Amino acid sequence: MTRFDLPLQTMAEHNELGKQGEALALQHLQKEGYEVLEQNWVHGKEEVDIIARKGDWLVMVEVKARMTNAFGEPEAFVNRTKQRHLVSAANAYVEKEGIELETRFDIISVLFKGGTHQINHIEDAFYPTL
């Protein structure tokens, strides 16, 4: 199968895939002992998929879900622009809530294969720059 033979997803299918990915990421974080503080936290046009706490860390999590890695691993799609948006939203959240914890940015990628899935949790996936 060439990359041009891959089936196209409708927007509804894409949104559903994202919701499934976020639900699996949430379960993963809870299983690993994270306290989930927020889901889909929005500031203006910016959004953080999951905001969690583990120990003395505030963790901003971007979730990427894909049906295939033919075009690259899901986490590779968190580009510099997306990172800047996450940092901006994280700053707004920290200020609004008055939080004084170290903050890190994680990516959880969910790759669906057949009837199963694979989760890759990348801690400290990138460092904040504006």
Side-chain angles (χ1 to χ4, degrees):
M1 177 182 276
T2 67
R3 67 182 196 170
F4 300 107
D5 294 332
L6 295 172
L8 297 176
Q9 286 183 317
T10 66
M11 185 58 85
E13 290 170 333
H14 175 77
N15 290 341
E16 187 58 35
L17 183 71
K19 288 178 186 176
Q20 289 175 357
E22 286 183 19
L24 290 168
L26 189 64
Q27 289 174 2
H28 166 78
L29 290 169
Q30 290 170 329
K31 187 177 91 176
E32 295 297 318
Y34 288 77
E35 174 189 0
V36 175
L37 304 175
E38 302 279 348
Q39 288 180 258
N40 304 111
W41 191 83
V42 177
H43 174 72
K45 294 183 179 182
E46 300 161 339
E47 178 183 8
V48 180
D49 293 331
I50 300 170
I51 300 174
R53 180 178 180 165
K54 186 164 187 184
D56 293 333
W57 285 95
L58 182 66
V59 184
M60 303 290 167
V61 181
E62 175 67 10
V63 179
K64 287 294 179 191
R66 296 287 187 271
M67 293 296 290
T68 178
N69 59 357
F71 301 105
E73 296 302 321
E75 60 270 17
F77 293 91
V78 182
N79 60 29
R80 286 270 189 229
T81 300
K82 181 62 178 174
Q83 290 175 16
R84 281 193 297 274
H85 288 293
L86 288 167
V87 170
S88 177
N91 285 334
Y93 181 80
V94 167
E95 284 181 27
K96 178 183 178 286
E97 298 297 325
I99 295 174
E100 295 184 15
L101 296 172
E102 291 289 327
T103 302
R104 76 169 199 244
F105 295 85
D106 292 7
I107 299 172
I108 295 181
S109 70
V110 182
L111 186 60
F112 293 93
K113 293 184 177 184
T116 66
H117 64 274
Q118 174 185 342
I119 292 179
N120 184 19
H121 182 175
I122 304 163
E123 295 181 4
D124 276 323
F126 64 90
Y127 297 97
T129 60
L130 290 174

